[in-house]
Amino acid sequence: MIDKRPRTPREAAAFSLFSMQEEGAWSDGALHHYLARAGLAGRDAALAARLTYGTVQNELLLDWYLRQFSSVRLKKIAPRVLACLRMGLYQLILLDKIPAHAAVSETVALVRRYCRANERTTSFVNAVLRRAAQVAEAGALPAPDCPDKESYYALRYSHPEWLVRLWSAQFGLKTAEALCRADNADTPVSVRVNTMKTTPGAARRELEAAGLTVTPHRDFPEILLCTGGDAAALPAFAEGRITVQDAASALAAAVADPQPGDAVLDCCAAPGGKSFVMAERMWGKGSVISCDIYEHKLKRIRAGAARLGLPNIRTTLQDAAAPRADWVGTADVVLCDVPCSGFGIIRKKPEIRYKDPAGLEELPALQAAILQNCARYVRPGGTLVYSTCTILRRENEDVVRAFLEHNADFAAVPWAHPVCGARKDGMATLLPPVHDTDGFFIAKLRRNA
Ligand SMILES: C[S@@+](CC[C@H](N)C(=O)[O-])C[C@H]1O[C@@H](n2cnc3c(N)ncnc32)[C@H](O)[C@@H]1O
């Protein structure tokens, strides 16, 4: 992390972008860190967040515009200078409340202070942004000329073209565009109410009294969608009455439907969101074994369970793809919330879209190996749930269908929930613009008794 203390929203946003480039930080983690370092809250924090997320969400489009105004090839521009240029251009052409002179002069000041820039570089940044401001002011911004709709949406919403084409083939062009648009929209923070400690109504009143605007999820009353403040900084969070969790994630655990007294195995559990839902639904009776392959992540599960007051969660370091003879046939419920490409949560972590697709090719094989191995832990008549936070068929339906083909002792179980209606084949793909949730996949299977 950059060691300096930012003083303004623009500095907090710029430091967050630098930290992403230089240290591989996540946008939300970096922003949270620098907002805290700067002591920014309210409108200032909201501006820093908009600048950080907006710049990442629109990176490909901003680069396209920069190429129209820059005499220097983008590859030749120092990374910090490029980050500042993107953020300045974002304010000039995609935000409407920031005066152009402020966007230009503040960007030049950032470059001068934090990019080890000489006079030539600051003059270059000034010239590029002033030119862009003039053209934007005259309503004469150039329009991208793309060969087809997929490539246009890819540029317009800054998504990789291969992903837009895949979504278009899978869901149709209209839904592919809606997915891209939803990924760039302002998303409220979703919190889930811990019904062992409070009720949705009381939690809502508590959050509203703290100044947040709260809307219950239309189909999931324990989920409250919050704007206008940091719910995780409130006593309601510290004292375990709420936790930050999306409706889709809570739904995966609800579909597993553990009962008080059950033995539950959560195979890929960190940071623990679904373990917490299941333990709460069991009212502290029975056991949830929450596993992960990383020891440091188990600590987060334990901290969350302590905060939420869940005594029946035990953590274990375990590779979900490696067999454990002592677990075979022991669990009433097994949840495989497998590692995945994460393309369902781009609206929360915008940089996920820029992942190198080559690194994703191995995922279906790993997901299949985890599902196959952990299925052995389900007792006869027990439940197996497979879930991901991606919406790519190859990591979802394809993995589950192949599993069912090779495991005649398992069958899909129909289920229904107001979020997505009746699922006769046991599977649901949730889409942000359709279900008002993260993009997610849930499949419920049962082992023959
Ligand atoms: C999608 S996240 C799980 C989210 C979690 N279920 C929740 O609701 O908070 C996937 C998790 O699987 C873990 N993981 C990756 N490979 C694994 C493996 N082979 N065995 C067990 N856990 C693994 C990752 O460390 C990560 O924490």
Side-chain angles (χ1 to χ4, degrees), residues 419-435:
V419 166
C420 54
R423 315 309 309 176
K424 283 193 188 134
D425 65 355
M427 302 186 214
T429 301
L430 304 178
L431 304 177
V434 177
H435 302 99

Side-chain angles (χ1 to χ4, degrees), residues 68-370:
Q68 318 304 310
F69 298 115
S70 170
S71 53
V72 179
R73 289 176 47 207
L74 301 198
K75 273 193 184 147
K76 299 268 178 201
I77 300 175
R80 282 194 182 191
V81 176
L82 184 57
C84 291
L85 271 170
R86 286 173 179 149
M87 194 168 91
L89 196 64
Y90 172 65
Q91 296 166 68
L92 288 172
I93 64 176
L94 294 173
L95 289 183
D96 52 15
K97 293 214 171 86
I98 298 197
H101 63 84
V104 176
S105 64
E106 296 286 333
T107 305
V108 171
L110 284 172
V111 170
R112 186 170 287 125
R113 273 192 210 122
Y114 300 114
C115 301
R116 293 180 210 100
N118 56 24
E119 258 326 295
R120 215 165 126 221
T121 303
T122 48
S123 304
F124 160 72
V125 168
N126 189 42
V128 168
L129 292 182
R130 284 173 66 109
R131 173 90 190 108
Q134 277 163 2
V135 174
E137 172 78 20
L141 282 172
D145 179 21
C146 298
D148 60 18
K149 289 257 170 70
E150 281 89 347
S151 55
Y152 173 73
Y153 295 146
L155 184 58
R156 164 75 185 78
Y157 300 108
S158 291
H159 279 60
E161 202 172 309
W162 70 266
L163 186 59
V164 179
R165 291 195 187 283
L166 206 57
W167 284 351
S168 180
Q170 201 174 310
F171 303 110
L173 184 63
K174 210 168 145 209
T175 302
E177 189 201 359
L179 286 165
C180 293
R181 195 177 331 111
D183 283 344
N184 285 4
D186 252 344
T187 306
V189 173
S190 176
V191 303
R192 185 180 58 77
V193 178
N194 178 358
T195 50
M196 284 175 78
K197 289 200 173 189
T198 187
T199 62
R204 179 181 182 175
R205 285 191 292 279
E206 185 178 357
L207 296 172
E208 285 176 341
L212 272 63
T213 303
V214 181
T215 313
H217 189 282
R218 62 178 187 232
D219 296 315
F220 210 133
E222 300 99 283
I223 297 292
L224 305 176
L225 305 174
C226 304
T227 55
D230 183 1
L234 298 175
F237 180 85
E239 292 161 18
R241 290 185 289 285
I242 58 164
T243 198
V244 176
Q245 185 169 36
D246 189 77
S249 166
L251 180 59
V255 167
D257 196 23
Q259 300 300 308
D262 271 357
V264 172
L265 190 58
D266 187 355
C267 301
C268 302
K274 296 175 195 71
S275 287
F276 303 152
V277 179
M278 293 192 288
E280 283 169 39
R281 291 174 78 94
M282 292 157 68
W283 288 96
K285 300 192 183 83
S287 67
V288 178
I289 301 179
S290 303
C291 310
D292 207 274
I293 200 168
Y294 299 112
E295 178 70 48
H296 69 276
K297 292 194 177 186
L298 296 179
K299 275 191 206 140
R300 290 190 64 192
I301 305 178
R302 289 193 287 272
R307 185 175 60 78
L308 293 163
L310 302 168
N312 56 332
I313 291 182
R314 186 158 60 80
T315 59
T316 302
L317 187 67
Q318 178 64 36
D319 178 351
R324 279 275 306 241
D326 55 329
W327 285 357
V328 172
T330 59
D332 298 294
V333 173
V334 171
L335 172 61
C336 296
D337 187 39
V338 295
C340 70
S341 56
F343 290 132
I345 54 169
I346 294 176
R347 63 186 193 145
K348 305 254 175 79
K349 291 189 187 292
E351 59 274 30
I352 283 183
R353 72 189 81 186
Y354 305 122
K355 272 184 185 178
D356 179 358
L360 307 174
E361 276 164 21
E362 315 286 308
L363 281 170
L366 172 65
Q367 292 156 343
I370 290 177

